[in-house]
Amino acid sequence: MTKTTKPTLDSTIFNSIFQIKNFFNNFFLKTSVNKNNAKDTFKILYQRFLFIVSIPLLLSCSASDDLDSVGVEPEFAAPEKIIKVNIIYVESSETLDKSSYTLDEKEFINYLNGEYFHRFGIGLELGESKSLINEELYDLRDNEGSEPSTFLMQSRESYDKSKVNIYIVKRCNILGIAGIGRDQRVLITDENLFTSTAPHEIGHALGLFHSHESENIMNTVNKDSRHNFNETQEKKIKKRIDQINLKN
């Protein structure tokens, strides 16, 4: 797969935050000691601003996320924790009878387990697969800039809270995003299923946030080298799986 070199959405936002941070820091240094109250007020506003700007980083990943992970030998083992996965094909009323998806679901689950999850004692098991007619999800171009909130809103009635739910959409119907993950729900464009985008978004769906570790699956910078969960992430995923399985 051809690798894209354009900046990601995450890196653009981080650069903007860094510039704003420098601006405020310079401002604070230049402010006289007699204006401590004003400085404190600006610091509070500054911290709140950074928090608000950072929210999108927890939900969506840019289109340049569609890169293969570094080559590692597949590893299959008896997992310590198993979570069932539903696969939901997002269709429009015009495409439902046209079999627009040709995914080999067993191959996909084996890919995720062998390349990523089994080596950490985590196993994905195929649950149900079905189609969902939803015009808003099928064509997210109508919701540019609010894709994460649209996904969470439009999927709230169709996802199984006792499983991880992977919604698959056609890439031609979405701009700027390879995947979204949160609250046991994952949306992945069909051309990014067999890339590190898939385990990355599943990580989000199981409660993980972005990481700056160079080979971490939740990394947003070196996407072509992602293949590891760290010990803290592994424990968090297993704990979340236990919580989800209690609902079965």
Side-chain angles (χ1 to χ4, degrees):
M1 180 179 293
T2 303
K3 293 182 172 61
T4 178
T5 58
K6 66 180 181 179
T8 65
L9 175 62
D10 286 352
S11 63
T12 301
I13 294 176
F14 278 123
N15 288 336
S16 298
I17 293 175
F18 182 74
Q19 293 174 2
I20 294 170
K21 180 179 179 180
N22 285 339
F23 169 80
F24 276 97
N25 286 341
N26 290 334
F27 173 82
F28 297 146
L29 289 173
K30 294 177 182 178
T31 303
S32 65
V33 178
N34 295 328
K35 297 182 179 179
N36 285 333
N37 290 335
K39 289 169 64 178
D40 291 339
T41 300
F42 271 96
K43 284 182 179 179
I44 293 172
L45 292 174
Y46 161 59
Q47 292 169 350
R48 290 179 179 177
F49 175 79
L50 292 186
F51 173 76
I52 293 171
V53 172
S54 299
I55 289 176
L57 301 181
L58 306 181
L59 293 174
S60 62
C61 299
S62 65
S64 54
D65 215 18
D66 53 357
L67 299 174
D68 294 317
S69 67
V70 66
V72 294
E73 189 70 23
E75 180 179 320
F76 293 95
E80 177 186 348
K81 303 292 181 179
I82 297 176
I83 183 72
K84 286 194 173 182
V85 176
N86 284 350
I87 295 178
I88 304 167
Y89 301 96
V90 179
E91 302 274 11
S92 73
S93 57
E94 297 179 354
T95 65
L96 183 59
D97 298 324
K98 295 180 181 179
S99 301
S100 55
Y101 298 96
T102 58
L103 175 66
D104 184 327
E105 296 168 351
K106 183 177 180 179
E107 180 186 5
F108 177 50
I109 296 298
N110 283 341
Y111 165 77
L112 292 173
N113 282 328
E115 298 285 340
Y116 301 99
F117 290 98
H118 269 202
R119 66 187 72 248
F120 299 102
I122 300 163
L124 307 183
E125 184 178 292
L126 184 62
E128 299 179 81
S129 63
K130 61 182 179 179
S131 295
L132 172 68
I133 300 178
N134 188 300
E135 308 296 340
E136 288 292 311
L137 283 184
Y138 183 78
D139 195 346
L140 283 179
R141 287 180 298 188
D142 292 339
N143 301 280
E144 188 173 359
S146 61
E147 294 95 340
S149 59
T150 298
F151 169 51
L152 294 176
M153 179 71 68
Q154 295 299 319
S155 61
R156 62 182 179 176
E157 301 296 333
S158 59
Y159 85 102
D160 187 339
K161 296 181 180 180
S162 66
K163 299 178 178 66
V164 168
N165 303 261
I166 299 179
Y167 292 76
I168 303 174
V169 297
K170 305 299 288 186
R171 181 56 182 267
C172 62
N173 295 310
I174 189 171
L175 297 176
I177 288 178
I180 303 170
R182 187 180 177 186
D183 297 340
Q184 296 173 228
R185 285 172 276 178
V186 178
L187 182 144
I188 307 178
T189 54
D190 61 344
E191 69 178 35
N192 288 298
L193 292 170
F194 290 87
T195 72
S196 63
T197 293
H200 179 96
E201 301 305 340
I202 291 172
H204 280 316
L206 292 173
L208 299 187
F209 300 114
H210 284 153
S211 168
H212 295 295
E213 296 176 10
S214 61
E215 296 182 346
N216 197 283
I217 291 172
M218 303 310 296
N219 188 287
T220 62
V221 180
N222 299 315
K223 304 179 185 68
D224 55 348
S225 66
R226 302 190 293 198
H227 64 276
N228 281 334
F229 288 118
N230 62 38
E231 185 177 350
T232 300
Q233 292 170 328
E234 180 183 336
K235 289 180 179 178
K236 188 170 185 177
I237 289 177
K238 290 178 178 177
K239 181 178 180 180
R240 183 62 185 135
I241 288 176
D242 283 340
Q243 294 170 341
I244 295 171
N245 286 338
L246 286 175
K247 301 175 184 176
N248 290 321

